[in-house]
Amino acid sequence: MSYFNSLDIGASGLTAQRLRMDIIAQNISNIDTTRTENGTPYRRRMAVFEERAADTRFSDYLSSSSRQKFMGKGVRTARIAEDLSPFKKVYNPGHPDADNDGYVEMPNVDVITEMINMISASRAYEANVTSINTTKSIAMKALEIGR
Amino acid sequence: MTVRGIDNTNFNFPSLFETDRSDKSNRSAFSDYLKEAISKTNNLILESEMINENFTAGRTDNIHQVMIAAEKADIAFQFTMQIRNKLLDAYNEIMRMQI
C-alpha cells in the first residue's frame, strides 16, 4: 500500500459525498413537483453507498495475500434508491392535479430532513479533505527522515 | 598416482562466472529501477496536467480530482528530489576523500 492508495480512498469519499449532495439538491428543488413523467408525484431519492472492495483480479489476490488483507478502496455508490414512504396528501381542490375528493398528493420530501442531510454531507466532505491533507503531511514528514 | 601438470583445460571456474553475471544483473536492475521510478513520477505529472486540462475545458466537474492529482504529482516530485539530494551527498562524500 502506497501513500497514493490513501489519497484515492479519500477521493472516492469526496465523490460519494458530492453525489449525495447532488441528490439532496434534486430532492429540495422537486419539493412541490406533483407530476413526473410516469404520472406520480416526485418520489424522494437517496443514495445507497457500499464499500468498494479491492479489485478482484488474480494478481491483486496474490499481492494482497502477501502483504495485507482487508484493505478496501473506499466507497462506491451501489444505487440511487427511491424512498417508498407514502405521499403526503394535501387538501387543495383548486389544484389541477387534485383527485375527486380535492386532495393533492405532494412529494414525500421533508425539507428539514434534507437540510440535516445536507449538513451531514458537508461535514463528511470536510472530514475527507482533512484525511487527504493529513496523508500528504505524513508523506512530507517521511521525507525528513535522516535530514 | 600420476602428477598432472597444470594446463588450461583444468581451469574451470563456473562459480566465478555465475557471480559475475549476477553482479551485472544487479547493476542493470538498479539503473532500471531508477529509470522506472522517474518515469512513474513523469506519468503522475502528465496525468495531473491532463486532468487540469479536462477541468478547464469543462469536460469534468470533479474539482477534487484536479487537486488530488496535483498533490500526487507534488509528493512524487518531492520524493524524487530527496533521492537526488541523497545521491549528490554520496557523490560529494566520495569526492571529499583524500587520496
Side-chain angles (χ1 to χ4, degrees), chain A residues 3-4 7-8 11 14-15 18 125 132 136 139-140 143 146-147, chain B residues 44 61-65 68 71-72 74-76 78-79 82 86:
Chain A
Y3 294 107
F4 300 143
L7 289 179
D8 283 337
L14 291 177
T15 309
R18 212 181 131 265
Y125 197 89
I132 289 173
K136 183 174 182 203
M140 288 295 126
L143 290 177
R147 190 180 289 184
Chain B
L44 280 174
D61 54 355
N62 266 344
I63 190 171
H64 58 269
Q65 291 286 4
I68 287 178
E71 291 305 315
K72 276 191 196 176
D74 184 35
I75 291 179
Q78 301 267 14
F79 281 173
Q82 287 301 316
K86 285 281 184 280

Side-chain angles (χ1 to χ4, degrees), chain A residues 121-138:
Chain A
S122 162
R123 292 285 175 240
Y125 197 89
E126 286 175 24
N128 273 310
V129 169
T130 304
S131 86
I132 289 173
N133 285 341
T134 308
T135 302
K136 183 174 182 203
S137 66
I138 286 178

Side-chain angles (χ1 to χ4, degrees), chain A:
Chain A
M1 181 176 78
S2 64
Y3 294 107
F4 300 143
N5 192 27
S6 188
L7 289 179
D8 283 337
I9 292 177
S12 77
L14 291 177
T15 309
Q17 294 303 326
R18 212 181 131 265
L19 174 70
R20 190 171 159 212
M21 198 57 225
D22 279 350
I23 293 175
I24 292 173
Q26 165 95 346
N27 284 342
I28 291 182
S29 68
N30 276 315
I31 201 167
D32 280 334
T33 305
T34 51
R35 62 177 93 170
T36 61
E37 55 196 7
N38 52 357
T40 63
Y42 175 80
R43 259 196 194 285
R44 176 177 173 258
R45 291 202 179 90
M46 42 196 185
V48 177
F49 296 133
E50 70 176 11
E51 179 192 5
R52 185 196 295 171
D55 290 334
T56 54
R57 286 178 304 192
F58 186 56
S59 61
D60 281 339
Y61 272 129
L62 277 182
S63 60
S64 69
S65 63
S66 63
R67 280 182 280 128
Q68 63 215 16
K69 307 181 189 190
F70 314 126
M71 181 47 62
K73 283 200 180 294
V75 65
R76 72 174 199 95
T77 309
R79 62 196 174 99
I80 297 177
E82 293 198 340
D83 189 2
L84 293 176
S85 52
F87 293 117
K88 292 188 280 200
K89 279 191 186 295
V90 175
Y91 185 69
N92 194 358
H95 198 276
D97 286 330
D99 58 5
N100 295 337
D101 299 330
Y103 281 100
V104 183
E105 284 191 334
M106 300 297 278
N108 52 348
V109 175
D110 179 23
V111 68
I112 309 285
T113 311
E114 300 304 321
M115 294 299 287
I116 293 178
N117 285 343
M118 199 188 315
I119 295 177
S120 159
S122 162
R123 292 285 175 240
Y125 197 89
E126 286 175 24
N128 273 310
V129 169
T130 304
S131 86
I132 289 173
N133 285 341
T134 308
T135 302
K136 183 174 182 203
S137 66
I138 286 178
M140 288 295 126
K141 274 293 174 187
L143 290 177
E144 290 180 18
I145 294 176
R147 190 180 289 184

Side-chain angles (χ1 to χ4, degrees), chain B residues 47-66:
Chain B
E47 188 185 327
S48 160
E49 275 184 32
M50 188 188 73
I51 295 184
N52 249 335
E53 197 183 308
N54 278 347
F55 179 71
T56 329
R59 282 189 281 264
T60 171
D61 54 355
N62 266 344
I63 190 171
H64 58 269
Q65 291 286 4
V66 177

